[in-house]
Amino acid sequence: MLHSTSLLPHNNRFVFSFRSKPSFFHSHSLSFSKFLSLPSSSQSSCCHVSRISTETLEVSPPPPPDFNFRREIARLADLRDRLSACSTLNEKLRVIDADSRVKRFFRSRRGLAGVLASLQLSSDQLFLLKCVVAAGQEHVLCLGETESLESSVATSAVKSALYTLADMIENMDSFNGNGGAGFGMALGDHEIAELNNLLEILAEIERFYDCIGGIVGYQITVLELLVQKLFEMQNISWAHQRHDVKECQILGINAPNGLNLSEDTEYASQAALWGIEGLPDLGEIYPLGGSADRLGLVDPNTGECLPAAMLPYCGRTLLEGLIRDLQAREFLYFKLYGKQCITPVAIMTSSAKNNHKHVTSLCERLSWFGRVVGAEEGQWLVTKPFSPLSKPGGHGVIWKLAHDKGIFTWFYCQGRKGATVRQVSNVVAATDLTLLALAGIGLRQGKKLGFASCKRILGATEGVNVLMEKKSLDGNWEYGVSCIEYTEFDKFGITTGPLAPKGLQTEFPANTNILYIDLPSAELVGSSKSETSLPGMVLNTRKPIVYTDQFGRRHSVSGGRLECTMQNIADNYSNSYSSRCYNDVEDKLDTYIVYNERRRVTSSAKKKRRHGDKSLHQTPDGALLDILRNAHDLLSQCDIRLPEIEANENYVDSGPPFLILLHPALGPLWEVTKQKFYGGSISEGSELQIEVAEFFWRNVQLNGSLIIISENVMGSMKINENGESILHYGQRCGRCKLQNVKVLNKGIDWTCGENIYWKHDVQRSEVLQIILHGNAEFEATDVVLQGNHVFEVPDGYKLKITPGSPGLAIKLDPIDQDMMESGSWHWDYKIEGSHIQLELVES
């Protein structure tokens, strides 16, 4: 459920976590939590559905054999329209009380009104409960009498007690002269708390989904999408069965043309510079609301299930990795323009697995408040009386949430015009120039929405980007780049193989959920009082719903949930033309797409690798291999010899050929990083970790483990006039120079079975470790550093190692006072044309 939110000023940044709205689990049925056996294509009618319940206790009576979807949708649509025409709550109550289903329900439960009165529910709360009944959800109140398939528990004491309770409610008058007014005392504190929790959830649905008609409109949407799926299974167009008139007809979908960053490198470099230059105009948006059940992440100390944002990856949580990537871009901006730039970040969290609590705690611990803001999500399937099961319902709610919670205004107050969007599980999204070029084009060309895309892996559970071609009722042709989710492929006739010959390319590109969004354009959508504010609504029935009921029994049912997708906001940005466009229409659109090598765009740590599983796709293990491939691509361009990385299947039963983890502030653009490295080699089985931005590598030969850690990677923390700690880029950075150096040691113990490489949790036999405190500096020239060494340099000092007679000459000197802030040397960044040139400057 949504918690109240406020801007929390801290460190001259703003953290705002906006948690998304409840959206409840639906089984394959007519309503929120009933179960349905979907008809096969051989069945004669898709409007007569028989249901088979697989859940005990919390079931509702089966629909009659002649249940008619269209009639039910029409009834609810009429109710929704009459409710929307009401101006007061009393008018709404009169309308809802007149609904046939509500009248029938309360007439058959004569004492229920007295029970509700005894609980002193407000008129608003009574209205919400009646909306639930009107929508066919009376079983949520635990008053159903239908037996389930699990007949073995039909006579259980618990079940008997529940039905006895229902009988007592219905026959209240037999023992209570006032219609059961005192029966509320029969509900214990726990049951009353559960009812209050349900009412809060219902209030959130009614309020948040007001754009589609609240609870009643929510149910209509589910029914329409469910029927659409049933028709699709029988190859019948549901659109032809509906009475409403569609505004546009989709005539074609094609693979969109766009800038290929790996081919048109000159324009890509220019676009990345536009992105850096425009950093003060940009915000960041992170949808972190997913429950990430496939990761199976558990706190080893408490046993608590954890959200994906808290996955320890390469030595830090995934969320820390996102902020670190962002800081690297801010550091690059400082090096080019000499100005501090603090980017505001909006985070969408959820209540799933205490997501909101964990994210907030991490922000507090790392002093990110002031940079970040937040919101929360859900869905329902009844697990016990008054207790719907909640799961995140899609990141498409993010735009309406951003409007409702004032996030657009918050961005505007900080001078932001656009924002980049990325998901926490994608660990390579900020590689090289992908994000910067995407944002640069969007800002420079005044676009409304942009996608970063790549080649799609056949069979992957990911959507595709498409160029939509539509014809509107007024005869105009509409075009726009959009997305089709993988759950909707059948609807559009998309297969996992090559497209029909009419396609512009042999395959559609992958949708990666890396976006650029123009904030005013997004606000127009999020603030609309219609279903437009919830883009891409689908009923996702692809994944089984797993939950535990109040008796501790684990259930896995074929269910579904109403979801909406943030990237389908693109459907609102089509451009209209009087005649059909045939070639290069993408250049003229408000939407656009850029391409890059897949491993520089998307590689996700979404699911836990299971024992014996031969596929590393979307696992932390597989994503690490892509990080290492990128490191190989980068360093091999610096004339550094490295082992090749083979296909993933070659590493199923072994570790990677090496470990290389480079801080993004070494670039983040590769053309910057490449000027800091040149020559040498990294042998198979070696480990290289560099956590310092001011770094110089010339002809270094590594055979073993080399770890360089700086406290002040990009700058130093200082206390401002408000007593807050602020990171000042470029001041008192740690520095390291290695020239003509050989590093020889035993390194990682690759035979250790406890090594977890993607966590960077490994056992080492020997290591060369350089630790730089504060603005400490380290230099090694023309030496061989063999065996196990730790060089720890204190703040304000420079450690220099040169050849000795014999051995090594090690000298520790204080840094000159006039060099304390800027160091004894630094990299000077300059823009020349569309490129960045570095010059090493000695102080």
Side-chain angles (χ1 to χ4, degrees):
M1 288 183 298
L2 185 71
H3 290 242
S4 60
T5 56
S6 60
L7 295 183
L8 304 175
H10 191 74
N11 293 354
N12 283 350
R13 303 167 187 245
F14 296 93
V15 175
F16 181 71
S17 178
F18 60 107
R19 292 186 279 175
S20 69
K21 298 293 182 246
S23 166
F24 302 102
F25 263 128
H26 291 70
S27 62
H28 295 175
S29 82
L30 311 181
S31 59
F32 293 140
S33 58
K34 290 175 279 199
F35 301 90
L36 172 71
S37 176
L38 293 179
S40 68
S41 58
S42 62
Q43 290 178 286
S44 60
S45 173
C46 67
C47 289
H48 296 79
V49 182
S50 60
R51 181 181 63 241
I52 299 176
S53 173
T54 57
E55 164 67 339
T56 60
L57 306 182
E58 290 80 17
V59 298
S60 58
D66 61 346
F67 184 87
N68 189 295
F69 274 100
R70 189 182 297 116
R71 186 182 304 133
E72 177 69 359
I73 291 171
R75 180 187 71 83
L76 290 174
D78 177 66
L79 176 60
R80 178 195 59 195
D81 294 343
R82 286 186 286 120
L83 288 172
S84 64
C86 297
S87 56
T88 67
L89 178 59
N90 286 334
E91 290 180 11
K92 288 186 176 183
L93 281 168
R94 284 195 293 270
V95 169
I96 201 74
D97 285 338
D99 178 74
S100 59
R101 193 157 196 152
V102 173
K103 288 194 295 185
R104 184 168 60 251
F105 177 79
F106 284 96
R107 188 167 55 242
S108 66
R109 279 97 173 152
R110 296 184 301 274
L112 184 58
V115 173
L116 297 178
S118 73
L119 295 174
Q120 298 181 335
L121 300 180
S122 68
S123 297
D124 290 287
Q125 293 171 323
L126 288 171
F127 173 73
L128 294 173
L129 293 178
K130 291 176 179 179
C131 283
V132 169
V133 175
Q137 306 307 307
E138 50 267 63
H139 65 285
V140 172
L141 305 180
C142 200
L143 296 175
E145 296 87 8
T146 299
E147 297 290 337
S148 75
L149 290 182
E150 298 183 30
S151 57
S152 61
V153 298
T155 58
S156 69
V158 175
K159 187 167 186 177
S160 298
L162 288 172
Y163 286 132
T164 299
L165 175 60
D167 291 339
M168 292 171 66
I169 294 174
E170 292 182 13
N171 297 287
M172 195 69 60
D173 289 337
S174 66
F175 63 87
N176 193 321
N178 61 2
F183 183 73
M185 297 301 294
L187 292 180
D189 291 341
H190 177 71
E191 287 79 9
I192 292 175
E194 295 286 4
L195 176 59
N196 287 332
N197 182 60
L198 171 64
L199 288 167
E200 289 183 36
I201 292 176
L202 294 175
E204 285 302 326
I205 304 171
E206 183 69 17
R207 182 163 51 249
F208 184 74
Y209 289 99
D210 58 352
C211 58
I212 58 173
I215 294 171
V216 173
Y218 186 98
Q219 178 68 358
I220 293 171
T221 302
V222 170
L223 289 177
E224 289 182 337
L225 291 172
L226 177 59
V227 176
Q228 178 178 296
K229 283 187 174 292
L230 297 178
F231 271 85
E232 288 167 7
M233 293 172 66
Q234 302 179 70
N235 297 316
I236 302 173
S237 173
W238 168 235
H240 294 160
Q241 308 295 322
R242 297 181 62 177
H243 297 293
D244 57 341
V245 179
K246 301 187 73 174
E247 296 180 0
C248 291
Q249 179 185 6
I250 298 176
L251 296 183
I253 54 173
N254 295 295
N257 292 320
L259 171 67
N260 191 319
L261 301 174
S262 63
E263 294 178 359
D264 193 346
T265 56
E266 194 66 24
Y267 187 81
S269 296
Q270 181 61 71
L273 283 179
W274 291 337
I276 300 167
E277 180 185 6
L279 206 60
D281 294 326
L282 289 170
E284 293 250 317
I285 299 174
Y286 303 150
L288 307 186
S291 58
D293 293 331
R294 291 184 296 169
L295 270 177
L297 183 59
V298 176
D299 187 312
N301 298 318
T302 66
E304 179 186 12
C305 291
L306 297 174
M310 304 307 295
L311 180 73
Y313 196 79
C314 293
R316 63 197 57 82
T317 65
L318 287 177
L319 180 55
E320 288 176 86
L322 263 63
I323 297 296
R324 195 164 98 131
D325 287 339
L326 175 58
Q327 289 176 329
R329 296 193 292 278
E330 293 173 346
F331 179 71
L332 177 58
Y333 179 85
F334 171 81
K335 295 292 285 185
L336 286 171
Y337 300 104
K339 300 176 183 178
Q340 299 283 330
C341 179
I342 305 299
T343 305
V345 177
I347 296 179
M348 184 178 75
T349 63
S350 74
S351 57
K353 300 180 180 177
N354 287 320
N355 184 312
H356 186 75
K357 182 192 76 172
H358 288 298
V359 169
T360 301
S361 297
L362 184 63
C363 290
E364 289 174 342
R365 177 167 60 85
L366 298 177
S367 299
W368 289 344
F369 275 100
R371 181 193 282 275
V372 186
V373 285
E376 191 176 39
E377 29 183 311
Q379 296 89 49
W380 59 356
L381 189 89
V382 177
T383 60
K384 57 183 175 179
F386 311 130
S387 298
L389 171 67
S390 293
K391 285 282 186 178
H395 41 53
V397 299
I398 198 168
W399 311 119
K400 188 175 189 298
L401 277 174
H403 167 72
D404 291 353
K405 287 298 159 185
I407 291 178
F408 291 115
T409 301
W410 178 72
F411 275 132
Y412 300 150
C413 288
Q414 298 179 73
R416 309 296 153 155
K417 301 174 183 177
T420 50
V421 184
R422 63 177 292 196
Q423 292 184 291
V424 70
S425 60
N426 185 352
V427 297
V428 301
T431 302
D432 196 11
L433 43 63
T434 301
L435 266 180
L436 284 170
L438 175 70
I441 293 172
L443 282 172
R444 189 78 171 193
Q445 299 181 5
K447 301 288 189 178
K448 293 182 178 179
L449 182 73
F451 296 88
S453 186
C454 58
K455 182 179 176 65
R456 183 173 180 270
I457 296 178
L458 297 182
T461 55
E462 58 190 11
V464 294
N465 289 125
V466 298
L467 175 65
M468 285 280 190
E469 183 181 46
K470 306 175 186 177
K471 196 166 187 180
S472 60
L473 294 178
D474 59 9
N476 285 332
W477 295 80
E478 296 187 2
Y479 296 88
V481 179
S482 188
C483 169
I484 297 175
E485 276 298 290
Y486 73 94
T487 55
E488 300 294 287
F489 282 179
D490 293 342
K491 174 181 176 181
F492 288 91
I494 298 175
T495 65
T496 56
L499 297 181
K502 292 183 180 179
L504 297 180
Q505 299 177 16
T506 57
E507 296 175 0
F508 285 126
N511 174 65
T512 65
N513 283 340
I514 302 173
L515 309 174
Y516 165 80
I517 186 74
D518 174 69
L519 291 172
S521 298
E523 186 178 24
L524 283 175
V525 174
S527 62
S528 64
K529 301 297 183 181
S530 68
E531 64 182 40
T532 299
S533 63
L534 300 171
M537 280 196 289
V538 297
L539 189 64
N540 187 350
T541 59
R542 297 269 178 132
K543 299 176 183 177
I545 308 304
V546 179
Y547 68 97
T548 303
D549 65 19
Q550 72 266 39
F551 306 114
R553 294 193 299 260
R554 185 176 175 85
H555 299 263
S556 179
V557 299
S558 179
R561 63 185 182 219
L562 183 62
E563 296 179 344
C564 46
T565 52
M566 64 180 179
Q567 64 274 16
N568 280 102
I569 192 175
D571 296 332
N572 296 281
Y573 302 139
S574 296
N575 292 83
S576 182
Y577 301 93
S578 58
S579 60
R580 192 172 190 179
C581 302
Y582 291 96
N583 297 311
D584 300 326
V585 66
E586 292 91 339
D587 294 340
K588 300 177 286 185
L589 301 179
D590 290 326
T591 52
Y592 66 103
I593 190 168
V594 300
Y595 296 100
N596 207 342
E597 295 288 338
R598 182 177 176 92
R599 61 176 174 261
R600 301 183 197 176
V601 179
T602 182
S603 190
S604 297
K606 286 186 175 181
K607 61 183 181 182
K608 182 179 180 180
R609 182 186 170 196
R610 302 190 181 279
H611 180 70
D613 193 349
K614 298 300 182 181
S615 173
L616 301 183
H617 181 58
Q618 292 189 331
T619 66
D621 314 70
L624 175 65
L625 288 172
D626 282 331
I627 290 175
L628 299 180
R629 289 186 180 99
N630 286 330
H632 178 278
D633 292 347
L634 169 61
L635 296 180
S636 61
Q637 296 177 43
C638 304
D639 201 25
I640 298 174
R641 299 184 302 280
L642 301 92
E644 294 290 337
I645 301 183
E646 300 174 359
N648 283 5
E649 54 264 26
N650 293 306
Y651 304 104
V652 169
D653 300 316
S654 65
F658 55 79
L659 277 181
I660 298 178
L661 302 174
L662 306 178
H663 195 286
L666 286 162
L669 299 180
W670 282 11
E671 78 166 5
V672 172
T673 313
K674 287 190 292 185
Q675 296 176 68
K676 299 180 180 181
F677 288 82
Y678 183 78
S681 62
I682 299 174
S683 301
E684 186 167 358
S686 292
E687 173 191 21
L688 175 64
Q689 181 185 9
I690 301 177
E691 295 288 314
V692 58
E694 297 284 11
F695 180 72
F696 178 89
W697 165 301
R698 290 295 182 271
N699 299 315
V700 177
Q701 298 178 47
L702 172 61
N703 190 343
S705 289
L706 170 60
I707 296 177
I708 305 169
I709 304 292
S710 173
E711 286 181 349
N712 295 352
V713 177
M714 297 169 285
S716 59
M717 303 298 290
K718 292 194 174 183
I719 306 298
N720 67 4
E721 61 275 8
N722 298 322
E724 299 169 323
S725 295
I726 302 295
L727 175 60
H728 284 253
Y729 289 115
Q731 295 186 0
R732 297 183 67 87
C733 292
R735 301 169 203 279
C736 181
K737 275 187 183 180
L738 302 175
Q739 187 165 1
N740 299 324
V741 173
K742 284 186 178 181
V743 177
L744 303 173
N745 57 62
K746 294 179 182 178
I748 292 175
D749 178 5
W750 295 90
T751 65
C752 179
E754 297 180 357
N755 289 343
I756 305 177
Y757 300 104
W758 58 265
K759 283 187 178 181
H760 201 205
D761 182 4
V762 296
Q763 297 297 315
R764 301 177 183 89
S765 300
E766 292 180 331
V767 61
L768 169 59
Q769 195 167 10
I770 300 168
I771 302 173
L772 306 174
H773 295 279
N775 67 341
E777 299 184 13
F778 179 90
E779 287 188 16
T781 306
D782 300 326
V783 294
V784 177
L785 301 176
Q786 188 168 4
N788 199 53
H789 293 282
V790 177
F791 296 107
E792 192 164 358
V793 189
D795 184 21
Y797 282 82
K798 179 176 183 176
L799 181 65
K800 192 170 184 178
I801 302 178
T802 56
S805 182
L808 302 175
I810 301 176
K811 189 177 182 182
L812 180 66
D813 294 317
I815 298 172
D816 292 345
Q817 196 61 38
D818 59 351
M819 299 180 184
M820 281 294 181
E821 296 295 321
S822 60
S824 64
W825 66 273
H826 67 275
W827 287 110
D828 186 45
Y829 292 46
K830 290 183 180 179
I831 297 175
E832 295 185 4
S834 59
H835 298 278
I836 300 172
Q837 295 297 325
L838 271 59
E839 180 185 1
L840 194 150
V841 178
E842 301 281 355
S843 300

